[in-house]
Amino acid sequence: MSSKATNTSPVNPQIDDAGHLRHFLTIEGLSKTQLMKLLDAASVFIGANSERRREQANLLIGHTVVNLFFEDSTRTRTTFEIAAKRLGAAVINLNPSRMSTRKGETVLDTVRTLEAMDTDIFVVRDSASGTAHLIARHVPPHVHIINAGDGRHAHPTQAMLDMYTIRERKGEISNLTFAIVGDILHSRVARSQIAALKILGAREVRVIAPATLLPTEVERLGVKAFTDIDEGLKDVDVVMMLRLQLERMEGQLIPSTQEYFRCYGLNQARLDRAAPDAVVMHPGPMNRGLEIASDVADSERSLILSQVTNGIAVRMAIMAQLVGAQGLQEIGAT
Amino acid sequence: MSSKATNTSPVNPQIDDAGHLRHFLTIEGLSKTQLMKLLDAASVFIGANSERRREQANLLIGHTVVNLFFEDSTRTRTTFEIAAKRLGAAVINLNPSRMSTRKGETVLDTVRTLEAMDTDIFVVRDSASGTAHLIARHVPPHVHIINAGDGRHAHPTQAMLDMYTIRERKGEISNLTFAIVGDILHSRVARSQIAALKILGAREVRVIAPATLLPTEVERLGVKAFTDIDEGLKDVDVVMMLRLQLERMEGQLIPSTQEYFRCYGLNQARLDRAAPDAVVMHPGPMNRGLEIASDVADSERSLILSQVTNGIAVRMAIMAQLVGAQGLQEIGAT
Amino acid sequence: MSSKATNTSPVNPQIDDAGHLRHFLTIEGLSKTQLMKLLDAASVFIGANSERRREQANLLIGHTVVNLFFEDSTRTRTTFEIAAKRLGAAVINLNPSRMSTRKGETVLDTVRTLEAMDTDIFVVRDSASGTAHLIARHVPPHVHIINAGDGRHAHPTQAMLDMYTIRERKGEISNLTFAIVGDILHSRVARSQIAALKILGAREVRVIAPATLLPTEVERLGVKAFTDIDEGLKDVDVVMMLRLQLERMEGQLIPSTQEYFRCYGLNQARLDRAAPDAVVMHPGPMNRGLEIASDVADSERSLILSQVTNGIAVRMAIMAQLVGAQGLQEIGAT
């Protein structure tokens, strides 16, 4: 599905002719230099004091960010809303499925209408793969698209905040072994994480899931697949848990949630098989006692709340870079 | 219905004793000079560069705009929300039908409560004619009302953005012949368009609709009525389509939507009957293939996206003028 | 219920070790000096001209206020939203019951996630007593909690705006006799009003209700209880009506709404039993003709709209004080 969307645009649609990032649609196709530049820019927005925050709140004044969530997600929408408002942007939240379907407009009519309002950034989320790419192919130069998750395809800002968090805690990514655990098959988060880890040169990337939740030929992504979590976690430095989407399961792909936790839930005993200083990540919101035990989620090893903090900074950096915000260099971002 | 609301207030309630625009409720009763002044003010907000947008985002700082939508309309609400936020205003979106009905307050209790919060502008939309006028008669001097559509009565900001768009593309309105096509009977848009076109001295205004969708004695508005679209479109300079409100139809006033498109839908062949450089407008959202063919909507003749762009600018100009925003002259608006 | 929540924290959780207000959870435990300081700070935000409002809109730039309404209340949420936006804060509205319950997070997971986003103020409302306190006990030092109503326990910003309004109209509270009329049993408003009036040294505080709507041993709060409104209103200076929560009644605690109005509704005849210059208050929204007659609500004696105006100012003052907004002294607040 993801490949279908990408194939229709032979050139990477998120890079303009001058090599600048115009949209942020997917990790695939970006260089290590581009990813590192975004991570460096994000660091400016971490731990800002009151004075710094005032300066940052000036960066996007006069700009408009539209949260265009065809698929509802209060949590993800909130992160983009906070990031945009901290930059001083005007923010409009839309759930256009309701708006447009009822009135019989097409998705592109909705998008054209919004871009005609001289808006600057669309943050797009949809349950269908390829929607952000589709929109990006049709918008005029003044509009920038950020993919906030499309179907099973990509969730690139999640992957970037994960990379930021790992680098912050562990330093160089190239020295580390990673394990992504959970529903790999349906996960846009896993796809974007794998792409980012490969570009940043991770030593080894493993995926761990029951066979029913592994994509066919998953090794083609450059990862090692495990169906036994105890084996897969051995000596890894970073354990990246995925959220189990209960609404997608319903007894078809996993026998029961209790059985899932017994076989694939991350508990302390399993974490002990990883490297001594291994850390645990989760994109949230967690199903405690399903994919992750509460004591692990709340332990010293957990980077889960750092991920949330860094998620705001990474999104601020991406928004500011896309529109080429004036004053970005003055506050220390390149 | 509209006349009932207006008659109860013998003096035009939107003009204060000094002749200044205090509310923006209806086109009727305004002078050509007043309309032209608003259109001129709106031009300042078109095509602003980044520096200009920053200046504009300073105009309404410290002011509060309340979108008071008794009748839901995400699209119209969004245009006012973007306009107000671009001016730096605090914006509150309310759907007070839910709020007040459940708790047993009257509409005027809701309004009095909101004005007691020292809010500055209420953008009012309701399915009943006269609601914006009713509220305007009861608010204290610091509150300004903008009618965002009331029943079948008026939608004056829509008419103003239409006038702006026509002037931008065609120049003088007095040289032009207009045709408004669709459900004239139920359309507040048509009523406000007719009023504006008459005030601005349009050469000729025609309305085209099946007899069931024409008001009785429509000619009293100063227009020529046609039930045959091919006849009505002959040599017109501007075709103003209306949206067919499917929810109001349900087989009572039109035989079927297919039949409607066959008899009154604007296609290329029909448009060829108009003047060679005729343009097409639509207030959106469109029912493609019902009142307008897709190729016409997307053609060079279509001004539909310009209407959207100009709608933001016109609403910014009206809000800034009503509150007498400081700095308005400095940025070039009179 | 309220005592249970308070007892679990032996020290007043809203005051930090240096004696500063860190959260605003309840009136209980605050000193007269602390209440008076807040009232004085609020006066700065009343009747601000356009220039002053611009200065105020600068106070919380770079700060984020989250309206965390587990219990829905458009009206109360709007007052906090307007107050925060007038101070220049970024505002996020959340109804986390939907967000978190569906996805299986606990309330504290939701709160930890939001605080990890470097937000500054949570305005918390819940139908359960103690929720704001619970959250306050778990947040890091940079987060400030305002209780916007918790169960039957407390609604301290309502009490503060009432105190402001009384002082504005009547001067010294210590010279006055008060009557609170209505459903005392279920009312967090009454609890907070009584606490504030006692701290500020009111001469006498009465509560008036049918026996079924009076808490047992209500006199322990330092008030005189009356079941006969005509007796209770005799010579009082301030009549503070409560809203009858119809959804909580349903014929169990009162025989019927008509019967309630006949026995306990405030009409002009009853108000005549109070002091000659007695004033009437109501937290809104009113049930006209149920707990209060329309002519009384709209009379010169009514302070109801002043309460609304002052409610914005009081909430602005509390927010600005909690975060120690820079520039607060410059604009005249201490």
Side-chain angles (χ1 to χ4, degrees):
Chain A
M1 265 188 160
S2 80
S3 61
K4 201 202 286 181
T6 323
N7 285 345
T8 56
S9 177
V11 182
N12 190 330
Q14 59 192 341
I15 308 291
D16 68 15
D17 295 341
H20 294 127
L21 198 61
R22 198 190 139 194
H23 306 295
F24 194 65
L25 305 175
T26 183
I27 299 293
E28 278 110 345
L30 297 178
S31 67
K32 181 170 178 178
T33 308
Q34 283 167 322
L35 296 190
M36 295 300 277
K37 190 183 165 193
L38 281 175
L39 296 180
D40 289 342
S43 67
V44 171
F45 298 104
I46 293 288
N49 63 17
S50 172
E51 201 49 52
R52 265 291 164 93
R53 287 223 240 158
R54 277 181 185 274
E55 291 166 16
Q56 294 168 4
N58 200 33
L59 286 170
L60 289 200
I61 286 182
H63 289 83
T64 305
V65 174
V66 182
N67 282 324
L68 199 56
F69 275 49
F70 298 94
E71 178 187 54
D72 210 14
S73 169
T74 303
R75 184 187 170 110
T76 302
R77 196 255 298 149
T78 300
T79 62
F80 282 99
E81 188 176 352
I82 289 181
K85 286 182 173 173
R86 285 237 178 106
L87 294 167
V91 180
I92 305 290
N93 292 321
L94 292 176
N95 187 329
S97 57
R98 281 180 250 152
M99 177 170 74
S100 56
T101 310
R102 185 155 40 101
K103 298 216 167 182
E105 272 189 318
T106 68
V107 166
L108 287 177
D109 269 339
T110 300
V111 167
R112 281 190 201 112
T113 300
L114 289 168
E115 73 196 32
M117 292 176 190
D118 276 337
T119 50
D120 301 280
I121 295 176
F122 293 176
V123 179
V124 177
R125 187 179 181 107
D126 194 13
S127 55
S129 301
T131 300
H133 281 75
L134 172 73
I135 292 173
R137 277 196 297 276
H138 288 87
V139 292
H142 74 271
V143 177
H144 307 276
I145 308 298
I146 297 176
N147 185 359
D150 64 320
R152 303 184 191 178
H153 175 223
H155 195 350
T157 60
Q158 177 69 44
M160 289 307 287
L161 73 89
D162 291 336
M163 297 307 112
Y164 189 96
T165 305
I166 296 161
R167 207 174 63 146
E168 184 182 52
R169 176 74 166 252
K170 304 289 271 182
E172 269 300 309
I173 282 170
S174 56
N175 300 325
L176 306 172
T177 297
F178 296 81
I180 307 174
V181 186
D183 180 3
I184 310 292
L185 178 64
H186 300 94
S187 176
R188 53 197 177 203
V189 172
R191 255 171 202 62
S192 288
Q193 286 171 332
I194 292 168
L197 289 171
K198 299 305 288 184
I199 291 168
L200 295 176
R203 192 169 56 199
E204 186 178 321
V205 182
R206 305 176 186 173
V207 294
I208 305 174
T212 50
L213 297 179
L214 279 173
T216 52
E217 303 190 53
V218 65
E219 290 83 1
R220 286 184 151 196
L221 298 171
V223 302
K224 291 188 187 172
F226 295 80
T227 53
D228 180 335
I229 186 170
D230 294 306
E231 190 188 340
L233 287 180
K234 193 156 184 317
D235 300 327
V236 302
D237 299 295
V238 181
V239 185
M240 306 174 90
M241 303 304 297
L242 298 174
R243 173 180 171 76
L244 202 63
Q245 302 289 343
L246 296 174
E247 54 275 29
R248 293 206 193 123
M249 297 293 133
E250 293 177 1
Q252 299 168 354
L253 297 171
I254 57 168
S256 77
T257 53
Q258 296 92 319
E259 182 69 5
Y260 183 87
F261 182 67
R262 202 182 60 77
C263 295
Y264 290 94
L266 185 66
N267 57 28
Q268 193 58 53
R270 280 182 174 142
L271 185 54
D272 288 342
R273 300 185 58 84
D277 55 351
V279 292
V280 176
M281 304 175 75
H282 190 294
M286 290 180 280
N287 297 303
R288 289 170 176 271
L290 206 166
E291 71 255 2
I292 189 165
S294 261
D295 60 343
V296 171
D298 300 332
S299 72
E300 292 284 304
R301 303 284 195 85
S302 166
L303 304 185
I304 294 171
L305 292 176
S306 295
Q307 289 174 276
V308 174
T309 303
N310 297 335
I312 302 292
V314 162
R315 285 163 181 133
M316 290 173 80
I318 292 170
M319 289 180 181
Q321 295 256 334
L322 286 181
V323 304
Q326 290 175 13
L328 199 51
Q329 291 187 322
E330 285 81 343
I331 65 163
T334 48
Chain B
M1 261 189 162
S2 80
S3 61
K4 201 202 285 179
T6 323
N7 286 347
T8 56
S9 176
V11 182
N12 191 331
Q14 60 192 341
I15 308 291
D16 68 16
D17 295 342
H20 293 127
L21 198 61
R22 198 190 139 193
H23 305 295
F24 194 65
L25 305 174
T26 183
I27 299 292
E28 278 110 345
L30 297 177
S31 67
K32 180 171 179 179
T33 308
Q34 285 168 318
L35 296 190
M36 295 300 274
K37 189 182 165 193
L38 281 176
L39 296 179
D40 290 342
S43 66
V44 171
F45 297 104
I46 292 287
N49 63 17
S50 172
E51 201 48 52
R52 265 290 165 93
R53 287 224 239 158
R54 277 181 185 275
E55 290 167 16
Q56 293 167 3
N58 200 34
L59 285 169
L60 288 200
I61 285 182
H63 289 82
T64 305
V65 173
V66 182
N67 282 323
L68 200 56
F69 275 49
F70 299 94
E71 178 187 54
D72 210 14
S73 169
T74 302
R75 185 187 170 110
T76 303
R77 195 255 297 148
T78 300
T79 64
F80 282 100
E81 189 177 353
I82 289 181
K85 287 182 171 173
R86 285 237 178 105
L87 294 166
V91 180
I92 305 290
N93 292 320
L94 293 177
N95 186 329
S97 56
R98 281 179 250 153
M99 178 169 73
S100 56
T101 309
R102 182 156 41 102
K103 297 216 166 182
E105 273 190 316
T106 68
V107 166
L108 285 177
D109 270 338
T110 300
V111 167
R112 281 190 201 111
T113 300
L114 288 167
E115 73 196 31
M117 293 177 191
D118 276 337
T119 50
D120 302 279
I121 296 177
F122 294 175
V123 178
V124 178
R125 187 180 182 107
D126 194 13
S127 55
S129 300
T131 300
H133 281 76
L134 172 73
I135 292 173
R137 277 196 298 275
H138 287 88
V139 292
H142 73 270
V143 177
H144 307 275
I145 309 296
I146 297 175
N147 185 359
D150 65 320
R152 303 184 190 179
H153 175 222
H155 195 351
T157 60
Q158 177 68 45
M160 289 306 288
L161 73 89
D162 291 336
M163 298 305 113
Y164 189 96
T165 306
I166 297 161
R167 208 176 61 148
E168 184 182 52
R169 175 75 166 250
K170 303 289 270 182
E172 268 301 309
I173 282 170
S174 57
N175 300 326
L176 304 172
T177 297
F178 297 80
I180 305 173
V181 186
D183 179 3
I184 309 292
L185 178 63
H186 299 95
S187 177
R188 53 198 177 202
V189 172
R191 255 171 202 61
S192 288
Q193 286 170 332
I194 292 168
L197 289 171
K198 300 304 290 184
I199 291 167
L200 295 176
R203 191 169 56 201
E204 186 177 322
V205 182
R206 305 177 185 173
V207 295
I208 305 174
T212 50
L213 296 180
L214 278 173
T216 52
E217 303 190 54
V218 65
E219 290 84 358
R220 286 184 149 196
L221 298 171
V223 301
K224 292 190 186 172
F226 295 81
T227 53
D228 180 337
I229 187 171
D230 295 306
E231 190 187 340
L233 287 181
K234 194 157 184 315
D235 299 327
V236 302
D237 299 295
V238 182
V239 185
M240 306 174 89
M241 302 305 296
L242 298 175
R243 172 179 171 75
L244 201 63
Q245 302 289 342
L246 296 174
E247 54 276 29
R248 293 206 192 122
M249 296 293 135
E250 292 176 1
Q252 299 166 356
L253 297 171
I254 58 169
S256 77
T257 53
Q258 295 92 320
E259 181 71 4
Y260 184 86
F261 183 66
R262 202 182 60 77
C263 295
Y264 290 95
L266 185 66
N267 56 28
Q268 193 58 53
R270 281 184 174 140
L271 185 54
D272 288 343
R273 299 186 58 85
D277 55 352
V279 291
V280 176
M281 304 175 75
H282 191 293
M286 290 180 280
N287 297 302
R288 290 172 176 269
L290 206 165
E291 71 255 3
I292 190 166
S294 261
D295 59 342
V296 172
D298 300 331
S299 73
E300 292 284 303
R301 302 285 195 85
S302 167
L303 303 185
I304 294 171
L305 292 177
S306 296
Q307 288 174 277
V308 175
T309 303
N310 297 335
I312 303 291
V314 162
R315 285 164 181 132
M316 289 172 80
I318 292 170
M319 288 181 182
Q321 295 256 333
L322 287 180
V323 303
Q326 290 175 11
L328 200 51
Q329 290 188 322
E330 284 80 344
I331 67 164
T334 48
Chain C
M1 264 190 160
S2 81
S3 62
K4 201 201 286 179
T6 323
N7 285 346
T8 57
S9 176
V11 183
N12 191 331
Q14 59 192 341
I15 308 291
D16 68 17
D17 295 341
H20 294 127
L21 198 61
R22 198 190 138 193
H23 305 295
F24 194 65
L25 304 175
T26 182
I27 299 293
E28 279 109 345
L30 297 178
S31 67
K32 180 170 179 179
T33 308
Q34 284 168 320
L35 297 190
M36 296 299 275
K37 190 182 164 192
L38 282 176
L39 297 179
D40 290 342
S43 67
V44 171
F45 298 104
I46 292 287
N49 63 17
S50 172
E51 200 49 51
R52 266 291 164 93
R53 287 225 239 157
R54 277 180 185 274
E55 291 166 17
Q56 294 168 1
N58 201 33
L59 286 170
L60 288 200
I61 284 182
H63 289 83
T64 306
V65 174
V66 182
N67 282 323
L68 199 56
F69 275 49
F70 299 93
E71 179 188 54
D72 211 16
S73 169
T74 302
R75 184 187 170 111
T76 302
R77 194 256 297 149
T78 300
T79 63
F80 282 99
E81 189 177 352
I82 288 180
K85 287 182 172 173
R86 284 235 180 108
L87 294 166
V91 180
I92 305 290
N93 292 321
L94 292 176
N95 187 329
S97 56
R98 279 180 252 153
M99 177 170 71
S100 57
T101 310
R102 184 156 40 102
K103 297 216 167 182
E105 273 190 316
T106 68
V107 166
L108 287 178
D109 269 338
T110 300
V111 167
R112 281 190 201 112
T113 301
L114 289 167
E115 74 197 29
M117 293 177 191
D118 276 337
T119 50
D120 302 279
I121 295 176
F122 294 175
V123 179
V124 177
R125 186 180 181 106
D126 194 14
S127 55
S129 301
T131 299
H133 281 74
L134 172 73
I135 292 173
R137 276 197 297 276
H138 287 87
V139 292
H142 74 271
V143 177
H144 307 275
I145 309 296
I146 297 175
N147 186 359
D150 64 320
R152 303 183 189 179
H153 176 223
H155 196 350
T157 60
Q158 177 69 44
M160 289 306 287
L161 74 89
D162 292 336
M163 297 306 114
Y164 189 97
T165 306
I166 296 160
R167 208 175 62 146
E168 184 182 52
R169 175 72 166 253
K170 303 289 271 182
E172 269 301 307
I173 281 171
S174 57
N175 300 325
L176 306 172
T177 297
F178 296 81
I180 306 174
V181 186
D183 179 4
I184 310 291
L185 179 62
H186 299 94
S187 176
R188 53 196 176 203
V189 172
R191 255 170 201 63
S192 288
Q193 287 171 333
I194 292 169
L197 290 171
K198 299 306 288 185
I199 291 167
L200 295 176
R203 190 169 57 201
E204 187 178 321
V205 182
R206 304 176 187 174
V207 295
I208 305 174
T212 50
L213 296 180
L214 279 174
T216 52
E217 303 191 53
V218 65
E219 289 85 358
R220 287 185 149 194
L221 298 171
V223 301
K224 291 190 187 173
F226 295 81
T227 53
D228 180 336
I229 187 169
D230 294 306
E231 190 186 341
L233 287 181
K234 193 158 186 312
D235 300 328
V236 302
D237 300 295
V238 181
V239 185
M240 305 173 91
M241 302 305 296
L242 298 174
R243 173 180 170 75
L244 202 64
Q245 302 289 341
L246 296 175
E247 53 277 29
R248 293 205 194 124
M249 297 292 132
E250 293 178 0
Q252 300 167 353
L253 298 171
I254 58 168
S256 75
T257 53
Q258 297 92 319
E259 182 70 5
Y260 184 86
F261 183 66
R262 201 181 62 76
C263 295
Y264 290 94
L266 186 67
N267 57 27
Q268 194 57 53
R270 282 183 173 140
L271 184 55
D272 288 342
R273 300 186 56 85
D277 55 353
V279 292
V280 176
M281 303 174 76
H282 191 292
M286 290 181 279
N287 296 303
R288 290 170 176 272
L290 205 166
E291 71 254 3
I292 190 165
S294 260
D295 59 343
V296 172
D298 300 331
S299 73
E300 292 284 302
R301 303 286 195 85
S302 167
L303 304 185
I304 294 171
L305 292 176
S306 296
Q307 289 174 276
V308 174
T309 302
N310 297 336
I312 302 291
V314 162
R315 285 165 181 132
M316 289 172 80
I318 292 170
M319 288 181 183
Q321 296 256 332
L322 286 181
V323 304
Q326 290 175 12
L328 200 52
Q329 291 188 322
E330 285 80 343
I331 67 163
T334 49

